Every structure is written in C-alpha cells, then in structure tokens.
Amino acid sequence: MATPLFNLNLDVLSTCDATTGWSGGVTDNEIKVQGAASLSVAIRNSGTYTFTPATSQDMSAPDTHLRLWLFHTFPKNLRSKSAGGIQLFVTGGGNTNYYYVGGSDTHGGSWQLFSADLANPDIDNGANLSAVTAAGFVLSHATAARNIINTWWDFFVYGTGYEVYGGTSVDRVTWNDIATADRNNGYG
C-alpha cells in the first residue's frame, strides 16, 4: 500500500481541540472528525459562533475556500439553504460577507464538510479578504430545536485546495489510500 503525500494548500484557523479564539462552545473529545476534540453547543433558535484569530489572515488568493466540518442533529428545524440555514462568514475591514452553505434541504444530520468560495458571497458587505479578523458560522432555525447539545464543529481551515501525490509505478496511490489518510486527518 502506497502512502499518499498531501500538499494541502490550507491554513488552519482552529483544530477545535480547545475553545481558544471561539465566542462559545465546549470541547467534546468523543464526537469529532480529527484531532483530540471538537466543539459543541446547544442551538435552540439560531446561533452565531465566531473565531477570532490572533492576527488577521489573508484570504484574498484566487480560489480560496473556507471549510468547516459541522454536525447538527436537528436538520429539519433549519431554514433552507437558500434562506441561510447554515452560513459561513468572514469579517475584514469592519465588514462581513456571508456564504449560504447548507440548510434543511441539504444537511442530513451527520458530519458534513461545508465549504464557501470566498470570492462569491451570498451577502456581500465588502469584507476585506486580505485582512480577515474573524470568521465563523451561523445556524438559523425555522422552528426551535430541542434545548440540548445538538451542534458540533471541527477543523476550521481556509485555502486553495489539495494535491495528492506519491507511490511508484509498481505501488500506486489508490483512492482507498487517500480515503484512509483522510479519515485519519479530517481533510475532507
């Protein structure tokens, strides 16, 4: 079995192994995608969770995407994707852009990798992508969910994509090799 090598072309905002930088949430070391933990919270009606990095981040490169693993156990309570049920956002220069990435019609209630093309916001408020000072997600419910821990998130990153290489003509890298490495690391 060949070992795939990854050129991840990504920067990690938060591994979500700790609450440092986050506006809310608690660590959960049992329900996670990668690392030691994820973050979790109860969201009854709607909630906004913001990560504030120690220094501003330059997310202005062409084809930059923001990615977050998210698991919400009451997907039918969410608004639809087109109504902003699940949104990612970035704030830069005092302005915030929002990206509609999921909702009741697209999220099945299990771990899902949500991705936003930062060049194409659904709500463009003119965020300065070369100096991002905060990023995060919004969940918006059409009807209230049970007031229990119902949302987990993990491995918050941005970048321009992944490249996979390695192996030899005799020992090629296979999709299975890539999938195994991904399961161990949560790349998506």
Side-chain angles (χ1 to χ4, degrees):
M1 177 173 117
T3 300
L5 304 171
F6 291 85
N7 182 7
L8 297 176
N9 298 320
L10 63 82
D11 289 293
V12 178
L13 290 168
S14 175
T15 61
C16 302
D17 289 344
T19 58
T20 306
W22 285 97
S23 63
V26 297
T27 56
D28 185 326
N29 61 3
E30 293 181 8
I31 301 173
K32 60 187 179 176
V33 172
Q34 62 79 51
S38 68
L39 296 176
S40 62
V41 72
I43 298 176
R44 183 149 169 76
N45 291 305
S46 64
T48 300
Y49 292 86
T50 303
F51 178 77
T52 304
T55 60
S56 69
Q57 305 292 303
D58 185 351
M59 299 185 188
S60 63
D63 299 322
T64 298
H65 286 71
L66 186 66
R67 296 181 177 96
L68 175 71
W69 282 99
L70 186 86
F71 173 15
H72 183 61
T73 58
F74 294 104
K76 295 301 178 199
N77 295 79
L78 290 167
R79 296 187 188 286
S80 68
K81 179 180 178 181
S82 64
I86 302 172
Q87 305 168 38
L88 296 179
F89 69 85
V90 294
T91 300
N95 300 315
T96 303
N97 290 354
Y98 295 90
Y99 306 85
Y100 294 1
V101 295
S104 59
D105 52 338
T106 63
H107 183 52
S110 61
W111 281 110
Q112 187 173 347
L113 180 61
F114 291 97
S115 178
D117 177 355
L118 294 182
N120 295 302
D122 289 283
I123 299 176
D124 187 347
N125 289 320
N128 180 355
L129 296 179
S130 64
V132 172
T133 56
F137 71 95
V138 176
L139 287 188
S140 180
H141 287 126
T143 58
R146 284 189 59 207
N147 194 22
I148 60 171
I149 298 282
N150 57 26
T151 305
W152 291 260
W153 67 96
D154 204 353
F155 204 50
F156 195 29
V157 301
Y158 69 94
T160 57
Y162 307 139
E163 298 172 48
V164 181
Y165 57 97
T168 66
S169 60
V170 176
D171 187 18
R172 299 177 192 274
V173 172
T174 67
W175 286 110
N176 190 47
D177 299 332
I178 295 168
T180 298
D182 181 49
R183 272 192 302 279
N184 293 333
N185 296 291
Y187 300 139

